[in-house]
Amino acid sequence: MKLLFELSGEHPTLPFAELECVGRITDRHPQIAVAECPDPAATARLALTHTVMEYLGECAPTAPALAALLDDLALSTDRPFAARVKVIPGPGEYPSQLDLERLIGSHIKGPVSLRSPEVIYRAVISGDRCYFGRIILGGLRSTYESRGPATRPFFHPGVMMPRMARTMVNLSLLSPGEVMCDPFCGTGGMLLEGEMIGVRAVGSDFDPLMIRGSRLNVPAAALMLADATALPLRSSSVDAVVTDFPYGQSVCIKAETLNKLYEGALTEVRRVLKDGKRAVVITHRDIRPIAGQYFTVLQFHEQRVHKSLTRRVMVLEKEKLADHS
């Protein structure tokens, strides 16, 4: 099914990259993507998407062009509907949102309800295009804001927020029923987001306090007190690794240096990961030269958290061995 996504504007690349877990992008503009999605219901797992719409069409960002598109669509509904317009800030000059909403409402046959619509048609202007769709899923952001880390049984400062943790899980392309491992699980935030989309969560940490906390936060996960450079897991036994590497500031690490830790942990991540599968690794500095010795680096994103911390997100792939049978 062809879907239209209104994306978060807080990062230039991550919202588009996350969409790969639900479909194939066919078109993109600032904060807008069009994608072919085999299972529209799966879009509920997204974290950096505001609204998911059935794609109905697109045109130039002018009132006459939108009117022509609506005439071609000849939409009608028996259910109360409303029209909404969003303009992504840019260099162009566009008609007023109110005028466009009235235009849409006048071209759709059916009862209008601005207070309690059952159907919402939405036009989004981005750059030189106006995209038009019917909302099938909205309010995705609120589901994450209502369950911050401080609401969990065990809290520790400095943990990743749920929306970003879910994004990291989605970048791994995990499917329900598959096995995800976080070898630096901390308070279990990654594991929790994995479990919420139906994956089997396995976590380890070198700090006994973190393991005790994770048992409270994610009781169904398989948890181990273990060194990330010597994981008690079989080789090629997990479908994805998603982890936030220690930054060396007020953390408990066993390796002599962070570089030694990175090298040892990446060696183990490669060992336990199945061929052709992904590891999503977050660090405080760019370690692509190290990671490239063990994996193919598919993606690299930077996210500034505050003045003393910038996250570097790598999406890594363990090469798939050729079948010589």
Side-chain angles (χ1 to χ4, degrees), residues 172-211:
S172 74
L173 305 187
L174 275 160
S175 296
E178 291 187 322
V179 177
M180 164 192 155
C181 175
D182 182 354
F184 297 98
C185 68
T187 63
M190 298 286 196
L191 304 178
L192 181 60
E193 295 304 320
E195 281 198 347
M196 292 185 75
I197 64 166
V199 306
R200 296 160 57 197
V202 177
S204 70
D205 203 283
F206 185 65
D207 187 342
L209 176 62
M210 294 298 106
I211 291 296

Coordinates of all heavy atoms in Angstrom, one line a residue, residues 172-211:
S172 N 17.4 -1.5 13.2 CA 18.0 -2.9 13.1 C 17.1 -3.8 12.1 O 17.5 -4.9 11.8 CB 18.0 -3.5 14.4 OG 16.8 -3.9 14.9
L173 N 15.9 -3.3 11.8 CA 15.0 -4.1 10.9 C 14.5 -5.4 11.6 O 14.1 -6.3 10.9 CB 15.6 -4.4 9.6 CG 16.1 -3.2 8.8 CD1 16.6 -3.7 7.4 CD2 15.1 -2.1 8.6
L174 N 14.5 -5.4 12.9 CA 13.9 -6.6 13.6 C 12.5 -6.8 13.3 O 11.7 -5.8 13.2 CB 14.1 -6.4 15.1 CG 15.5 -6.8 15.7 CD1 15.7 -6.1 17.1 CD2 15.6 -8.3 15.8
S175 N 12.1 -8.1 13.2 CA 10.7 -8.4 13.1 C 10.2 -9.2 14.3 O 11.0 -9.7 15.1 CB 10.5 -9.4 11.9 OG 10.9 -8.7 10.7
P176 N 8.9 -9.1 14.6 CA 8.4 -9.9 15.8 C 8.8 -11.3 15.8 O 8.8 -12.0 14.7 CB 6.8 -9.7 15.6 CG 6.7 -8.4 14.8 CD 7.8 -8.4 13.9
G177 N 9.2 -11.8 16.9 CA 9.6 -13.2 17.1 C 11.1 -13.4 16.9 O 11.6 -14.5 17.3
E178 N 11.8 -12.4 16.4 CA 13.3 -12.5 16.3 C 13.9 -12.2 17.6 O 13.3 -11.7 18.5 CB 13.8 -11.6 15.2 CG 13.3 -12.1 13.8 CD 14.0 -11.3 12.7 OE1 14.1 -10.0 12.8 OE2 14.3 -11.9 11.6
V179 N 15.2 -12.5 17.7 CA 16.0 -12.3 18.9 C 16.9 -11.1 18.8 O 17.7 -10.9 17.9 CB 16.9 -13.5 19.2 CG1 17.7 -13.3 20.5 CG2 16.0 -14.8 19.4
M180 N 16.8 -10.2 19.8 CA 17.6 -9.0 19.9 C 18.5 -9.0 21.1 O 18.0 -9.4 22.2 CB 16.7 -7.8 19.9 CG 17.3 -6.5 20.4 SD 16.1 -5.2 20.8 CE 17.1 -4.2 21.9
C181 N 19.7 -8.6 20.9 CA 20.6 -8.6 22.1 C 21.2 -7.2 22.3 O 21.5 -6.5 21.4 CB 21.8 -9.5 21.8 SG 23.1 -9.5 23.0
D182 N 21.2 -6.8 23.6 CA 21.9 -5.5 24.0 C 22.9 -5.9 25.0 O 22.6 -6.2 26.2 CB 20.9 -4.6 24.6 CG 21.5 -3.2 25.0 OD1 22.7 -3.1 24.9 OD2 20.8 -2.3 25.4
P183 N 24.2 -5.9 24.6 CA 25.3 -6.3 25.5 C 25.7 -5.3 26.5 O 26.5 -5.5 27.4 CB 26.5 -6.6 24.6 CG 26.2 -5.8 23.4 CD 24.7 -5.7 23.2
F184 N 25.2 -4.0 26.4 CA 25.3 -3.0 27.4 C 23.9 -2.5 27.8 O 23.6 -1.3 27.6 CB 26.2 -1.8 26.9 CG 27.6 -2.2 26.5 CD1 27.9 -2.5 25.2 CD2 28.6 -2.3 27.4 CE1 29.2 -2.8 24.8 CE2 29.9 -2.6 27.1 CZ 30.2 -2.9 25.7
C185 N 23.1 -3.4 28.4 CA 21.7 -3.1 28.5 C 21.3 -2.0 29.5 O 20.2 -1.5 29.4 CB 20.9 -4.4 28.8 SG 21.2 -5.1 30.4
G186 N 22.2 -1.7 30.5 CA 21.9 -0.7 31.4 C 20.6 -0.9 32.1 O 20.4 -2.0 32.7
T187 N 19.7 0.0 32.1 CA 18.4 -0.1 32.8 C 17.3 -0.8 31.9 O 16.2 -0.9 32.3 CB 17.8 1.2 33.2 OG1 17.6 2.0 32.0 CG2 18.8 2.0 34.1
G188 N 17.7 -1.3 30.7 CA 16.8 -2.1 29.9 C 16.0 -1.3 28.9 O 15.0 -1.9 28.4
G189 N 16.3 -0.1 28.6 CA 15.4 0.7 27.7 C 15.3 0.2 26.3 O 14.2 0.1 25.7
M190 N 16.5 -0.3 25.7 CA 16.4 -0.9 24.4 C 15.6 -2.2 24.4 O 14.8 -2.4 23.5 CB 17.8 -1.2 23.9 CG 18.7 0.0 23.8 SD 18.4 1.0 22.3 CE 19.9 2.0 22.3
L191 N 15.8 -3.0 25.5 CA 15.1 -4.3 25.6 C 13.6 -4.1 25.7 O 12.8 -4.8 25.0 CB 15.6 -5.0 26.8 CG 17.1 -5.3 26.9 CD1 17.5 -6.0 28.2 CD2 17.6 -6.1 25.7
L192 N 13.2 -3.1 26.4 CA 11.8 -2.8 26.6 C 11.2 -2.4 25.2 O 10.1 -2.9 24.9 CB 11.6 -1.6 27.6 CG 10.2 -1.2 27.9 CD1 9.4 -2.4 28.5 CD2 10.2 0.0 28.9
E193 N 11.9 -1.5 24.5 CA 11.3 -1.1 23.2 C 11.3 -2.3 22.2 O 10.3 -2.4 21.4 CB 12.2 0.0 22.6 CG 12.1 1.3 23.4 CD 10.7 1.8 23.6 OE1 9.9 1.7 22.6 OE2 10.4 2.3 24.7
G194 N 12.2 -3.2 22.3 CA 12.2 -4.4 21.5 C 11.0 -5.3 21.8 O 10.3 -5.8 21.0
E195 N 10.8 -5.5 23.1 CA 9.7 -6.4 23.6 C 8.4 -5.8 23.1 O 7.4 -6.5 22.8 CB 9.7 -6.5 25.1 CG 10.7 -7.5 25.6 CD 10.4 -8.0 27.0 OE1 9.6 -7.3 27.7 OE2 11.0 -9.0 27.4
M196 N 8.2 -4.5 23.1 CA 7.0 -3.8 22.7 C 6.6 -4.0 21.3 O 5.4 -3.9 20.9 CB 7.0 -2.3 23.1 CG 7.1 -2.1 24.6 SD 6.9 -0.3 25.0 CE 5.2 0.0 24.7
I197 N 7.6 -4.4 20.4 CA 7.2 -4.7 19.0 C 7.3 -6.2 18.8 O 7.2 -6.7 17.7 CB 8.1 -4.0 18.0 CG1 9.6 -4.4 18.2 CG2 8.0 -2.5 18.2 CD1 10.5 -3.9 17.0
G198 N 7.4 -7.0 19.9 CA 7.3 -8.4 19.8 C 8.5 -9.2 19.6 O 8.5 -10.4 19.2
V199 N 9.7 -8.6 19.8 CA 10.9 -9.4 19.7 C 11.3 -10.0 21.0 O 10.8 -9.6 22.1 CB 12.1 -8.5 19.2 CG1 11.7 -7.8 17.9 CG2 12.6 -7.5 20.2
R200 N 12.2 -11.0 20.9 CA 12.7 -11.7 22.2 C 13.9 -11.0 22.6 O 14.9 -10.9 21.9 CB 12.9 -13.2 21.8 CG 11.7 -13.9 21.5 CD 12.0 -15.2 20.7 NE 12.9 -16.1 21.5 CZ 13.6 -17.1 20.9 NH1 13.5 -17.3 19.6 NH2 14.3 -17.8 21.7
A201 N 13.9 -10.4 23.8 CA 15.0 -9.6 24.3 C 16.0 -10.3 25.1 O 15.6 -11.0 26.1 CB 14.4 -8.4 25.1
V202 N 17.3 -10.1 24.8 CA 18.4 -10.7 25.6 C 19.3 -9.5 25.9 O 19.8 -8.8 25.0 CB 19.1 -11.8 24.8 CG1 20.3 -12.3 25.6 CG2 18.2 -12.9 24.4
G203 N 19.6 -9.4 27.2 CA 20.5 -8.3 27.6 C 21.6 -8.8 28.6 O 21.4 -9.7 29.3
S204 N 22.7 -8.0 28.6 CA 23.8 -8.3 29.5 C 24.4 -7.0 29.9 O 24.3 -6.0 29.2 CB 24.9 -9.2 28.9 OG 25.6 -8.5 27.9
D205 N 25.0 -7.0 31.1 CA 25.7 -5.8 31.6 C 26.8 -6.3 32.6 O 26.6 -7.3 33.2 CB 24.8 -4.8 32.2 CG 25.4 -3.4 32.2 OD1 26.2 -3.1 33.0 OD2 24.9 -2.6 31.3
F206 N 27.9 -5.5 32.7 CA 28.9 -5.8 33.6 C 28.6 -5.3 35.0 O 29.3 -5.8 36.0 CB 30.3 -5.2 33.1 CG 31.5 -5.6 33.9 CD1 31.9 -6.9 33.9 CD2 32.2 -4.7 34.6 CE1 33.0 -7.3 34.7 CE2 33.3 -5.0 35.3 CZ 33.7 -6.3 35.4
D207 N 27.7 -4.4 35.1 CA 27.3 -3.8 36.4 C 26.1 -4.5 37.1 O 25.0 -4.5 36.5 CB 27.0 -2.4 36.2 CG 26.8 -1.6 37.5 OD1 26.6 -2.2 38.5 OD2 26.8 -0.3 37.4
P208 N 26.3 -5.2 38.2 CA 25.2 -5.9 38.9 C 24.0 -5.0 39.2 O 22.9 -5.5 39.1 CB 25.9 -6.4 40.2 CG 27.3 -6.4 39.9 CD 27.6 -5.3 39.0
L209 N 24.3 -3.7 39.5 CA 23.1 -2.8 39.8 C 22.3 -2.7 38.5 O 21.0 -2.7 38.6 CB 23.7 -1.5 40.2 CG 22.6 -0.4 40.4 CD1 21.7 -0.7 41.5 CD2 23.3 1.0 40.7
M210 N 22.9 -2.6 37.3 CA 22.1 -2.4 36.1 C 21.3 -3.7 35.8 O 20.1 -3.6 35.4 CB 23.0 -2.1 34.9 CG 23.7 -0.8 35.0 SD 22.6 0.6 35.0 CE 22.7 1.1 36.8
I211 N 21.8 -4.8 36.1 CA 21.1 -6.1 35.8 C 19.9 -6.2 36.8 O 18.8 -6.5 36.4 CB 22.0 -7.3 36.0 CG1 23.0 -7.3 34.8 CG2 21.2 -8.6 36.0 CD1 22.4 -7.5 33.5

